[in-house]
Amino acid sequence: MLQQTRVKTVIPYYRAWLKRFPDLPALADAEPDEVLAQWEGLGYYRRARSLHAGAAFVAERHGGRIPRDLAELKGIPGVGDYTAGAVASIAFGRPVPAVDGNVRRVLSRLYDEPTPTASWLRERAGLLVDPDRPGDWNQALMDLGATICTPRSPGCDACPLTSVCAARVAGTQELRPSRSARRAVPAVTFAVSVVVDRWGRAFVRRRPDKGLLAGLWAFPEAVIGDPTPDEPALVRQARHAAKEAGARTRERPRWILDVVRHRFTHLMATYVPVLLTAAGASAGDGRWVPLERPTGLALPRAQRKIAAAAWAAFETKETDADANP
DNA sequence: AATGCGGGGAC
DNA sequence: GTCCCAGCATT
């Protein structure tokens, strides 16, 4: 959970996770949907799938015991250099480094190395690690980076390494490590098909196993080439997406909602929800969820925004219909 | 070595 | 708005 995610964000997820999956067999035997549902909102959902696969891997290949060897740890799905080093040093007292984003920044400044490579970091961190208390050492470096040697305006006056920090001596600490130029984030517009039945339930289908939001549930969608499409084109695309996903719809759309914007790390998405009316049962592997409370399955944040907007619109229309039959 | 992969909080 | 978070898998 902590991979690329702040401790403060993780804590409530971690507690709920341990309550639902108290030990390794509980996780290894769980349904994939249940695992994803527990992870919902944390992002980088492959971590959840890897953790699930990792539990099964350890159960089968290691008799349910986490291996102590660094190479064996790295063989577990979802466990890379950092996680293997952290577990080996903190849990098992092995004198191995654990280089996360914080440690990378600390070492880059300590040696005034603007572009530290993975191999350089591993070598440096390996030489420094305290063989007697490797876990404490690694965590101390991480905490130093998180609290004092911060990305911007580091607190060098309070740093125990200030006198031996090459970047501090050179005055380059704010420039280390160097930031790579970020590419522009592309903007993509989607027509979103919200097919609603008479009870206010909407059709969702599972997303493909790979790519963005893999394995999560979502409304059918279609990429719109024209960023400012006219209404007939939107409705046509939404209806097509619904049909592709196995949801049958009536001819007349209910209406087009205000756009929902959602920023992913490398994609700015604009969703245009189109409310459509269900025509009988659906085919395929879709499911119908209540728009008011779409619980019980893993929906990405953006989909929940869309669901909330769609429910508000649906409820308003039904109320009007009751008032003016 | 570069890229795709979420969501949120701090500034 | 930008930056970055106790990174990993894939290419």
Side-chain angles (χ1 to χ4, degrees):
Chain A
M1 285 182 178
L2 289 166
Q3 292 165 359
Q4 285 290 282
T5 304
R6 293 176 199 279
V7 173
K8 190 175 179 182
T9 302
V10 160
I11 288 172
Y13 282 89
Y14 178 72
R15 295 191 189 286
W17 183 275
L18 279 192
K19 195 167 181 178
R20 175 62 187 81
F21 309 117
D23 53 28
L24 191 138
L27 177 58
D29 296 338
E31 291 298 321
D33 266 340
E34 173 75 6
V35 174
L36 276 179
Q38 287 291 320
W39 202 273
E40 180 193 305
L42 258 187
Y44 283 163
Y45 296 94
R46 190 175 54 192
R47 295 179 299 175
R49 298 148 73 86
S50 294
L51 188 51
H52 191 205
F57 183 89
V58 171
E60 280 192 24
R61 305 276 290 269
H62 296 288
R65 304 277 295 180
I66 306 287
R68 300 172 123 73
D69 178 71
L70 196 63
E72 287 190 317
L73 281 168
K74 276 194 279 193
I76 301 171
V79 177
D81 282 334
Y82 163 74
T83 303
V87 171
S89 63
I90 298 170
F92 302 134
R94 300 291 169 107
V96 295
V99 180
D100 74 335
N102 290 305
V103 175
R104 174 175 180 269
R105 184 172 56 256
V106 169
L107 295 184
S108 169
R109 288 172 175 168
L110 186 60
Y111 296 100
D112 200 20
E113 169 54 59
T115 56
T117 64
S119 60
W120 182 88
L121 285 166
R122 188 163 49 243
E123 183 185 345
R124 280 294 145 193
L127 290 170
L128 289 173
V129 68
D130 183 341
D132 295 324
R133 300 173 64 184
D136 288 344
W137 173 267
N138 286 332
Q139 292 187 76
L141 275 188
M142 290 188 265
D143 284 338
L144 183 63
T147 60
I148 293 177
C149 196
T150 51
R152 280 170 296 193
S153 53
C156 297
D157 291 341
C159 181
L161 301 179
T162 189
S163 63
V164 294
C165 177
R168 168 66 164 168
V169 170
T172 55
Q173 65 273 20
E174 299 253 18
L175 304 175
R176 303 287 181 260
S178 68
R179 296 164 172 78
S180 57
R182 304 247 166 173
R183 284 204 319 277
V185 176
V188 182
T189 303
F190 299 90
V192 180
S193 178
V194 184
V195 182
V196 190
D197 67 13
R198 74 183 69 179
W199 300 285
R201 299 182 308 174
F203 178 86
V204 291
R205 57 95 174 87
R206 188 192 297 283
R207 292 178 59 88
D209 247 11
K210 295 186 175 183
L212 188 69
L213 306 170
L216 276 76
W217 293 81
F219 301 111
E221 68 188 24
V223 175
I224 303 295
D226 180 359
T228 58
D230 55 29
E231 296 199 356
L234 273 172
V235 172
R236 194 168 61 247
Q237 295 269 28
R239 194 186 303 287
H240 182 68
K243 186 177 180 181
E244 289 280 293
R248 298 168 54 200
T249 60
R250 296 195 186 284
E251 188 55 35
R252 204 150 66 93
R254 289 179 182 239
W255 65 83
I256 298 173
L257 306 185
D258 291 338
V259 302
V260 172
R261 297 184 197 283
H262 186 80
R263 185 189 179 81
F264 296 96
T265 300
H266 50 278
L267 177 70
M268 178 52 123
T270 300
Y271 297 102
V272 188
V274 178
L275 250 64
L276 300 166
T277 304
S282 60
D285 58 353
R287 286 174 53 178
W288 295 88
V289 297
L291 275 178
E292 185 176 16
R293 275 170 27 90
T295 56
L297 38 68
L299 275 188
R301 278 291 196 260
Q303 301 295 314
R304 292 208 176 271
K305 290 188 200 172
I306 294 167
W311 171 248
F314 179 83
E315 197 179 29
T316 299
K317 169 159 183 170
E318 295 304 295
T319 303
D320 289 351
D322 291 345
N324 308 296

